[in-house]
Every structure is written in structure tokens, then in C-alpha cells.
Amino acid sequence: MKEVWQMMTDDDHWRLPLPKLLISVTGEAKTLTPHPRVKAILKQGLVNAAANTGAWIITGGRATGMMKMVGEAVSEYADATGNQTGQELVVLGIVSLGCVANRHLFKEKALQKNGRKPLTYIMPGEMSDSHCAPLDHNHTHFLLVDDGTERQPGGEIDFRSDLEKYISTQKKDSQAQNLKVNQQVSLAMAWQHCDIAKQCIFSSENRCNWQEADLSSSMLDALVEDQADFVQLFLDLGLDLERFLCVETLWQLYSKCLAKSAVAKELLTYSSSRITSTATTTQYEVGLDLKDNPHLLFDISKVIVHLLKDNSFNFYSDFHVLGEGFQYPSFKHPERELFLWSILFNRRDLAQIVWKDGLDHIGGALCARALLKEMSVIAEEMEMAEFSEDLAKHSVEWEAHALTVLAECYSRDHLLTHNLLVRELRHWAPEESALLCTSDTAGHPAHTNTPDTAGRPTPLSMTESYEMTDFAGHSACQTKLTDIWNGGLAGNTSIWKVRESLGE
């Protein structure tokens, strides 16, 4: 086995990168008509996992059954990623020579100069022999095992088993016995198996391997891919959101998700055109690097202000100064920034997670209700009826969440709940920069443009502004309005708003 391993990895021969993982695929050699879901799993799970973890995929290598399906998944992955040759992946076929169609070509070549010259393999036409099949052209490498038999499947099994064991030993010796935690997590995420991550990667027995691991890159991937169970797992393991979420990370979240979601990109384009009142709509460009679009977060902030029709919600007004030499600080309230991001991209489960970990749950739920409702209106204007309906349903869910929290508060203390309803939403309508610090590399404070927050909204005023009838109908709101009308007027509540709230 040593000679085979050297041939595959030496610079004088195949020059294959050392595998960080082996994925051995076995299955029927008979012709299969794959269910679309099975094919999707192979493409999105198996191949994606191999690409993300530096794994080798090993199969029987022939163009039939499961082996052919794996090859097609590799080809589709290469097309989708722009890598037409698929050479980023190692897909090794270990084949019994006696079961390969046109095998005489290999035997003839083996007699010529020890078989060291390239061979052009000719694919046969339709095959009627159920025991023979051509090599699958989507595999990257082949090992042909000649045990002297003809048309007898299984002649390669012992060799393949021994080689896989040998490779695993080399992998362990060269890579300190274990895969890195992030590589293991990437594989579990590619297969969408958070249960495996909990039981095998982050087990108490394996604590010494993962407790010092930096999960930031895995957290970013989980957010982008909308894998809420992994996000919750990383938070449970102690990931510090304040350290994780700096300006650059939030920028990456918006940029990556806009690039992935054509619908979200269209909404941003449409909203941006409404802000500038341009006669024509130009597609919003999302760069892959911060320098390509340093104003992305500032643009997002303008869209939020436009949707809510209130400059109090200008979260990122000071982010237009990003550029060369700028240090990327963290956020004071990372849960809020992630919540806004998840709402704007209609990520239900992720929004729930960060909302529960954040501050001012009623204010957050009301903001989500208002944003989603306005997004639904825009989607309807853009003739995206199904998406508009989904946004509207999501919007209603957040009003229900706000109502649930309100009911709990009111059941505990009527007076404090009344005060809460007329308290300014300082957490959701910020009066200062969202950042912990803003400075350039020379240590000078970066320019900030704090929004004018005179008359910031309250839960009660938001109820009126965005027509949240269910929330307004709760006893806490009704009794507070009665109290205001009878003389207990809050200092920051204008008379006309009270009159409109009461239907005068």
C-alpha cells in the first residue's frame, strides 16, 4: 500500500493533496433512476461536504448505479461553482478491471513501456452486459485492480478496504490524529446534522479538543445558510456575540445573503429606487469585498428608515465613512443587529433566537411587525404575491409575540406595564452610534452622524403608526389610553396622537 500511496501523493506522479477526511461511497451497481431528493442530497450534501472539508470521495468508479450518481453530482457541482474540471475535488474510483468495458485497452497499454504513457479511454456504446460498465468520466482518478477474474464484481473489495485503512493511518499521522473542529463542523453542517455535532464533536468526552476552538467562521456560515440549530448550538457553547459581530462581519452577512437571495436583492433595489425617487431602477450591486461597496450598511439603514418612515430608526448613519485604514469595531448590542438582519431576510427561526437573547422584547417584536408589513406591501407592488403573503404572515406572528410579552408583563404589574407602553424605544431608535468604538488606524474618532431622535417612538405610538390592532386591543393599552385621556398624559405624547389613537 505504501507504493500506491506514494504514487498518489508524490510530486512525480498524481500530486494529490493529503485528504482531511475519507468519504467512502458504496451502493448498487445496477442502473438507477434517482429520486430528485436523493440527487439533491448527493449534490448539496456529499459533494459540498467534500469540497468544504478537503475530503476524498472514493467509489467503485464505474458509470452505473450509485457510482454514476456521485459522478453526476460532482459534475453539477463543478458547473455551479465555475470549476469545469472539478479538480478541486478528488473523486477516486477503485475498480475491478475485469468488470470494466473496453478493458483490453488497459491490458494492451500495460505491455507498452510499463504503462507509464497516457491512455485515451474510449467509452463504449450501449452495454447489454450487466456485469461490465464503462469508467465514469466524472471521477478524477482511478485505480484498476486486476485479480485475474473476468466479469466477476467484487474483485477490488479487499484492496479498497486495505487502502482506505492505510490512507486513514497516514492522515492521522500527518494531521495530529484528529480533524480540526471546524472541519468536522463544516461536514456536519453540509449534511445538516446538528445532532451529530452535539453527540460526536461537542461531547463532554471531546471537550479538550473543542473548548478552545474559534467558532466564528462556523457561526458566520450557519447564519448565512440559515441553519438556526447550529447557531443555537454555538451560542449554547459560549460563543461571544460581542466579539463575533464587528462591522466587517455584519457587512459580510448582508453581502453574502444579498448575493444568495435574488428576491432580497430585488427588494433592496426597489426600495433604494423609491428613496432616491429615480425614474428608472438600477440593480443594486453587491461586491464580494468591503472595498467594493463600503456603504452597504449605510444603504441598509436608509432602506430601514424608508420602510418605517421614521428617521429615528437610522441605525447605521455613521457607517458611510468605512474605507482604507478603518478598524472594525464591535457592536454594543449585537443581538439587535442580528435581529434586524434576520427580519430583513425573513429568517424566522434565527430571528427568534437572537430576539430572545436581546433587550426590549416588545420593542423588537413591534419593529419586526412594522418592517415585515411594509416589506409585504412592497413585494405586492413588485407582483411577488406568494412572497408578499409569507411576509404578511411573518409580520402577524411578531405582533402575536409582542402581545404575549405584554400580557405577561400586565399580569405581573399593571403600573410598570403602563409606563413601558409610553417609554421611548431607545434601544430600537438609537440616539448614538451603534458601535462600541469608532476610530481609524491612527486612533482618531471616526465621523458620526447621529440621527435626530426628537420624539422617538414608544410602543403605544408604534401601535398607532403601523395599525397593530391586536396589540392595541389588549387591556393594558386600552386602560393606558383611558388613563391618558383622563389626565395622566405622558410628557412625550402629543395631543393629536392621543386623539387619533382614541378615534376622535
Side-chain angles (χ1 to χ4, degrees), residues 29-80:
K30 298 178 181 179
T31 301
L32 297 175
T33 303
H35 189 281
R37 174 172 168 76
V38 175
K39 195 170 183 179
I41 290 174
L42 278 174
K43 179 182 176 184
Q44 298 173 6
L46 172 68
V47 181
N48 205 18
N52 290 335
T53 59
W56 287 9
I57 300 175
I58 299 179
T59 81
R62 295 185 297 157
T64 184
M66 182 63 70
M67 300 168 283
K68 183 178 181 180
M69 288 174 60
V70 171
E72 290 173 346
V74 170
S75 176
E76 291 182 17
Y77 173 85
D79 291 342

Side-chain angles (χ1 to χ4, degrees), residues 170-183:
Q170 300 305 305
K171 172 178 67 64
K172 288 180 179 180
D173 290 344
S174 62
Q175 297 181 28
Q177 301 297 318
N178 289 304
L179 290 170
K180 293 181 180 178
V181 170
N182 284 329
Q183 294 167 344

Side-chain angles (χ1 to χ4, degrees), residues 253-286:
L253 272 176
Y254 277 104
S255 181
K256 288 176 181 289
C257 292
L258 284 170
K260 286 173 62 70
S261 173
V263 173
K265 193 173 180 180
E266 286 183 31
L267 278 175
L268 179 58
T269 298
Y270 187 82
S271 297
S272 298
S273 68
R274 294 277 292 274
I275 294 170
T276 57
S277 301
T278 55
T280 59
T281 299
T282 56
Q283 186 65 30
Y284 192 88
E285 295 300 327
V286 180

Side-chain angles (χ1 to χ4, degrees), residues 333-502:
H333 306 293
E335 296 89 354
R336 184 188 67 186
E337 318 313 328
L338 288 178
F339 180 71
L340 289 169
W341 164 82
S342 60
I343 290 298
L344 289 172
F345 285 95
N346 201 30
R347 305 282 184 92
R348 279 175 165 81
D349 294 337
L350 288 175
Q352 285 276 352
I353 291 172
V354 290
W355 176 68
K356 291 176 181 177
D357 285 346
L359 302 175
D360 191 356
H361 296 93
I362 289 180
L366 295 179
C367 285
R369 165 74 162 103
L371 280 170
L372 289 164
K373 182 178 180 180
E374 295 304 314
M375 289 165 63
S376 174
V377 172
I378 290 178
E380 186 175 11
E381 292 177 0
M382 297 175 66
E383 298 182 352
M384 294 188 290
E386 185 175 346
F387 186 54
S388 174
E389 183 179 353
D390 185 59
L391 289 170
K393 289 180 179 178
H394 194 188
S395 173
V396 171
E397 290 170 13
W398 280 106
E399 185 172 357
H401 293 323
L403 192 56
T404 299
V405 178
L406 178 67
E408 178 65 23
C409 292
Y410 197 58
S411 67
R412 297 189 180 191
D413 192 306
H414 285 27
L415 180 59
L416 288 179
T417 304
H418 282 165
N419 292 338
L420 179 151
L421 287 172
V422 293
R423 183 195 62 191
E424 290 184 340
L425 295 175
R426 295 179 179 272
H427 184 66
W428 295 100
E431 60 181 350
E432 56 185 9
S433 173
L435 304 176
L436 284 172
C437 63
T438 51
S439 62
D440 57 26
T441 53
H444 302 123
H447 171 69
T448 59
N449 180 23
T450 303
D452 180 8
T453 55
R456 279 190 299 268
T458 67
L460 209 54
S461 69
M462 286 196 71
T463 301
E464 172 223 342
S465 298
Y466 305 105
E467 299 179 356
M468 304 180 194
T469 55
D470 289 342
F471 189 86
H474 189 273
S475 298
C477 294
Q478 292 298 307
T479 52
K480 182 57 182 176
L481 287 172
T482 301
D483 180 50
I484 292 173
W485 188 250
N486 289 331
L489 187 65
N492 65 332
T493 306
S494 60
I495 294 295
W496 68 268
K497 283 191 174 182
V498 175
R499 292 177 64 87
E500 285 191 358
S501 296
L502 293 174

Side-chain angles (χ1 to χ4, degrees), residues 151-195:
R151 301 176 63 254
Q152 294 183 20
E156 81 289 355
I157 292 177
D158 290 341
F159 173 83
R160 175 175 170 177
S161 177
D162 292 342
L163 180 62
E164 290 176 349
K165 290 178 181 177
Y166 184 85
I167 294 174
S168 298
T169 301
Q170 300 305 305
K171 172 178 67 64
K172 288 180 179 180
D173 290 344
S174 62
Q175 297 181 28
Q177 301 297 318
N178 289 304
L179 290 170
K180 293 181 180 178
V181 170
N182 284 329
Q183 294 167 344
Q184 295 175 314
V185 173
S186 294
L187 184 61
M189 288 175 61
W191 283 98
Q192 298 183 14
H193 270 293
C194 189
D195 55 336

